[in-house]
Structure formats: C-alpha cells, structure tokens
Amino acid sequence: MDTQDIKNRFGIIGNSPLLNRAIDVARQVAPTDISVLITGESGSGKEVFSHIIHQLSSRKHGPFIAVNCGAIPEGTIDSELFGHEKGSFTGAHEARKGYFEVVNGGTIFLDEVGELPLGTQARLLRILETGEYIRVGSSKVQKTNVRVVAATNVDIYNAVQKGKFREDLYYRLNTVPLRTPALRDRKEDIHLLFRKFIADFTDKYRSPNVQLTADAQQLLANYPWPGNVRQLKNIAEQIAVLEKERLIDAQILQQYLPYDNRSNLPVHVTSKGTDDFSERDLLYKVLFDMKKDMVELKKLVVEIVQNGVNSRIMEDNSPYINQLYREVDNTTPEQLATPPQLTIHRPPTSGPSEDFHFHTQEAEEVEEESLSLVEKESDLIRKALKKHKGKRKSAAQELGISERTLYRKIKDLNLN
Ligand SMILES: Nc1ncnc2c1ncn2[C@@H]1O[C@H](COP(=O)(O)OP(=O)(O)OP(=O)(O)O)[C@@H](O)[C@H]1O
Ligand SMILES: [Mg+2]
C-alpha cells in the first residue's frame, strides 16, 4: 500500500513533506511489533495514526482499545489497565479483567501516556519487556501479547528530566518516534483540508458550497491553528452551517477565528477596517460617557459637602440629581434632605448654562482643598483642643470620642 492509498483509506488529507514522512514511518513500523510513541499537538492526528498502525499490522483482526490515561483517576488506573482480584480494595466486589488482558492479540493505544503515575509506569515497562503483568491484589504473574502505541501532546522528555516520567520507559516506548505535524508547519495543506471539510459539511447539511477569496485563503494559511486539524474542521462546520455569505472574504473569516495570542499572525488588517473603527469608536464613546458621569458626580459631591444635601435638592431641583436619587433607591429627595449644616453662599442662578459654569468653577475651587481624612481629623482635634484650652476631657467630649481614643489619636497623628 503506498502513501496515497493510505491517505485514501484513512481519509488523510494533505501533501506536505512532513505529513508524508509521518505516513511513511507508520507504514514501515506497522507490520513489526515495535512500540511507537506518537508526539504531536492537540488535534494533529495522533489517534488517526494509531489506527493506521493497527490496521496495517498483522493484528488488524485482533482488538484495538484506545485508553486516555489522563482521564482515569490515579487510584483506579492500575486496576483499569491490569485488572484486579475480588476484594483487592473497597468496592472490588468482583474480579475484573484489565485492558491488557482484554486486548491480548491486539493493539492498545495509550493516549496522554505522560499522565501515567510512576507506579503504573513501572508495571507498563514490565509488560513491554516481558509481556508479564499482575492483577491488582493478586500475586499470580500473567502473560499477554499486546502491541503498545502511545501518544503525548506534551514534551515528554521534559517530564523525564523532571523525574515525572521514567527514562527507561521513555526509551522503550520511543523505539520508533512518529511526529504528527502541526497545521501551521504544513500551511500548504490548510486550504486543501478546508475545502474537503466544507464539501463534507455542505453536503451533510445540504447547504450551498462555500468559496474563499484570495485574502481569506491567506488569512487561513497564516492563522496559527492551536487546535490543528480538529479546529479547522470545527470552523469549516460552523461556516457551512451559520454563514449566509457564500463567498467568504478575510473579514468574514476573521469572525470565526478565535484570537490566539501566541502568534503575531491572526490579526488581519483590512483596507477598509470599518469593524475595527466602529469598535474603537464605541469604546471611546463609553469612556466619554463615563467621564461625563464622573464630572457630574464630582460636582454633586462637592455641592453636598459645601452646602448640605438640602440646598442642592430643594433649591435647584436639578433633574439629574433627582433622577440619581431615584436610581439609588426609591427614597424621594425630600425624605433624604437634612437641614443644611453650613451657611449657603451662592450666586443667583438664572439658566442652565450659567448654572453649569457656576458648578464647574466651584468644583475646581474645592478640588484644590485637601480632602484627606487624616488631615481633616488632625485639624478638628487641634481646633477642639484649642477651644478647650488643651483640656483633653472636654475636647474629647466635643469631638464625640472617648478620652482614650483622643489620647491615641494625638499620639498616632503626632499632634503633640
Ligand atoms: N491529515 C488529516 N486529514 C484529515 N483529517 C485529519 C487529519 N489529521 C487529523 N484529522 C482529523 O482531525 C481530528 C483530530 O484528530 P485526532 O483525534 O487524531 O487528533 P489527536 O492528535 O489525537 O488530538 P488530541 O491530542 O486532542 O487527542 C479528527 O477528526 C481527525 O479525523
Ligand atoms: Mg487524541
């Protein structure tokens, strides 16, 4: 069977040298019983290759099981893989065969093999070297004849260096390494794959065919595809189902490509750039509105501090403030109003524009005054002490605090 036959049979799309090389390795190693370690990013076809290896081997009529080592809890993985005896742990009501026993004569695909705990790694090494294993809770050595194809999408050699993966097992599994190339390393295949997937999905959903403009093709080729073929397939499906436009340009395509920050590639600059601008305009508008609200609120706070709540509400009856009160709670301004604390000195206001000037000016004046609580507090304490000629008891009384608190504050605020 040549490379093209394998592609046809297993639905592999692409002509890049890296892909052809991976298929070559699979074809050559398949008829042997050698363990294979498939490495490659998520969605790059590791599982597809494990099937190719099994199907092109003499075990093709035997069983094939794919086990995701990362998905099985650490406490049960030995039992899942190697089986257990009745009563070997709480809940082991029956004896159970493990996958290595069930798959005798076939192939086991150990996906995410880097996730295996160290104890399980030792058991796996023994099976690979001698075909021997022991069920959990048993002392009887059993034999099995299983071909192991393992896969990982992490840098497993890094795990070896950190002591998380046994070095001897790594070399044993990695007798023949097979690397599934990332999509971004075979850009020439991307459009081909996209067309194939679009054809499949438009067929499936009975939607009209989709074409890409030249700039969309370029965007497709330059996107980093962190989820590789699986991601490309998903996006083709979304477009086939959701997109109304049948001639897709880069701007439309961009909406389907999630932003990926590990690359400088996916940002697409259109000649018109209308979308970018409207989004930026919107943000500016939001910020501008917020600033306007802030100015209004500042004015209001300053006014209340200066004149007391009553003055501002009763005299001015500004719709803005009344609305604010209604928004804050349903209490009416009249209910909230308290007698003015300070004498009101306000120039007469005749119209809204003058009113506005007056408030901004006032706001500016007051902003220059310090609003620091510490300073205000020190100030008040000094005044109270002066008024009571240094008598702390009376000063504390006037300030509405205990004498002890006043002592502490004098000390803390360094008022001696
Ligand atoms: N060269 C290819 N041509 C066509 N389809 C492919 C190709 N490679 C992968 N696929 C498809 O992409 C999808 C993902 O492939 P697969 O499940 O083998 O990836 P994986 O490397 O095992 O991913 P993960 O690490 O997430 O488990 C599958 O639907 C598979 O059929
Ligand atoms: Mg997989």
Side-chain angles (χ1 to χ4, degrees):
M1 201 182 266
D2 72 11
T3 308
Q4 193 53 50
D5 293 333
I6 293 176
K7 288 181 189 171
N8 294 343
R9 181 168 164 199
F10 294 94
I12 302 263
I13 313 285
N15 296 310
S16 81
L18 285 174
L19 180 70
N20 289 343
R21 160 101 188 115
I23 294 173
D24 255 8
V25 171
R27 188 189 42 219
Q28 287 177 50
V29 77
T32 71
D33 261 346
I34 299 175
S35 313
V36 182
L37 180 63
I38 306 175
T39 55
E41 289 181 12
S42 171
S44 60
K46 296 184 293 296
E47 187 147 354
V48 176
F49 274 85
S50 73
H51 285 288
I52 298 178
I53 293 168
H54 175 67
Q55 288 299 330
L56 299 185
S57 76
S58 58
R59 298 169 178 265
K60 65 181 173 208
H61 298 300
F64 173 95
I65 283 187
V67 181
N68 186 343
C69 304
I72 303 173
E74 211 173 310
T76 55
I77 192 146
D78 282 351
S79 145
E80 297 262 340
L81 292 177
F82 309 106
H84 63 251
E85 294 300 343
K86 188 177 172 181
S88 55
F89 53 86
T90 328
H93 303 302
E94 298 294 333
R96 183 183 176 278
K97 285 183 183 179
Y99 297 132
F100 274 96
E101 197 169 337
V102 174
V103 179
N104 195 358
T107 307
I108 193 164
F109 174 51
L110 297 179
D111 205 357
E112 294 188 40
V113 72
E115 298 292 318
L116 285 180
L118 283 164
T120 313
Q121 291 178 28
R123 288 171 177 265
L124 177 60
L125 184 66
R126 182 167 179 193
I127 275 207
L128 287 169
E129 288 186 331
T130 63
E132 291 175 355
Y133 69 97
I134 298 172
R135 281 184 179 183
V136 174
S138 165
S139 52
K140 195 173 114 208
V141 176
Q142 304 196 62
K143 283 214 119 189
T144 186
N145 173 14
V146 175
R147 204 267 180 89
V148 173
V149 176
T152 176
N153 59 17
V154 296
D155 179 4
I156 200 166
Y157 194 67
N158 195 11
V160 170
Q161 284 168 328
K162 285 185 181 152
K164 287 184 181 155
F165 201 82
R166 291 178 67 117
E167 192 171 12
D168 44 10
L169 178 60
Y170 169 74
Y171 286 116
R172 193 70 183 65
L173 284 174
N174 204 20
T175 317
V176 174
L178 192 160
R179 184 155 187 89
T180 51
L183 209 46
R184 68 183 156 282
D185 294 333
R186 50 183 189 113
K187 289 185 182 186
E188 63 269 46
D189 292 342
I190 298 177
H191 191 214
L192 200 65
L193 277 156
F194 181 80
R195 287 209 306 267
K196 167 73 169 69
F197 293 144
I198 278 288
D200 289 350
F201 289 123
T202 50
D203 201 37
K204 181 175 169 189
Y205 299 112
R206 296 172 197 282
S207 48
N209 200 14
V210 166
Q211 303 270 334
L212 294 184
T213 62
D215 61 343
Q217 286 177 38
Q218 211 182 342
L219 178 61
L220 203 69
N222 286 335
Y223 185 73
W225 299 109
N228 293 289
V229 184
R230 182 184 295 115
Q231 186 186 12
L232 179 65
K233 204 172 179 176
N234 287 346
I235 282 167
E237 184 165 18
Q238 284 179 40
I239 291 175
V241 176
L242 302 175
E243 186 51 51
K244 294 200 176 63
E245 206 60 57
R246 291 290 120 176
L247 181 65
I248 304 219
D249 61 15
Q251 227 178 323
I252 298 173
L253 180 62
Q254 181 84 75
Q255 294 163 13
Y256 291 89
L257 303 178
Y259 178 69
D260 183 282
N261 64 1
R262 63 174 139 154
S263 156
N264 52 352
L265 296 172
V267 178
H268 173 248
V269 182
T270 56
S271 46
K272 287 176 279 170
T274 46
D275 265 9
D276 293 351
F277 273 112
S278 62
E279 208 165 304
R280 200 183 312 158
D281 283 350
L282 207 69
L283 275 172
Y284 275 139
K285 192 178 166 337
V286 170
L287 283 173
F288 186 72
D289 286 350
M290 268 169 66
K291 180 135 196 256
K292 232 168 73 184
D293 279 353
M294 285 291 289
V295 169
E296 282 294 334
L297 276 170
K298 270 191 194 166
K299 277 195 288 171
L300 172 64
V301 170
V302 164
E303 182 84 355
I304 288 170
V305 167
Q306 285 288 84
N307 303 337
V309 181
N310 219 7
S311 67
R312 185 68 170 101
I313 296 159
M314 305 308 255
E315 292 176 17
D316 192 302
N317 215 16
S318 144
Y320 178 79
I321 290 162
N322 284 324
Q323 190 200 331
L324 200 68
Y325 271 110
R326 275 194 292 277
E327 279 171 16
V328 171
D329 62 28
N330 288 328
T331 325
T332 62
E334 288 78 8
Q335 282 172 307
L336 273 169
T338 51
Q341 302 289 309
L342 301 159
T343 328
I344 306 162
H345 299 290
R346 292 182 62 191
T349 57
S350 53
S353 58
E354 267 179 50
D355 188 47
F356 178 78
H357 277 294
F358 161 65
H359 290 305
T360 32
Q361 201 189 340
E362 195 175 44
E364 276 157 17
E365 275 169 22
V366 176
E367 263 170 20
E368 277 167 19
E369 183 194 335
S370 163
L371 292 176
S372 154
L373 275 177
V374 177
E375 273 175 41
K376 289 277 173 228
E377 198 180 15
S378 312
D379 221 34
L380 278 175
I381 292 174
R382 266 198 217 95
K383 276 183 187 156
L385 285 169
K386 202 169 162 198
K387 183 173 167 189
H388 293 279
K389 302 195 171 64
K391 280 195 193 125
R392 290 184 175 176
K393 195 173 174 183
S394 322
Q397 244 166 19
E398 168 118 27
L399 288 165
I401 54 177
S402 73
E403 223 179 330
R404 250 177 65 200
T405 307
L406 180 62
Y407 269 98
R408 188 168 49 75
K409 283 195 183 289
I410 289 171
K411 203 165 149 243
D412 288 353
L413 299 168
N414 235 345
L415 297 177
N416 281 323

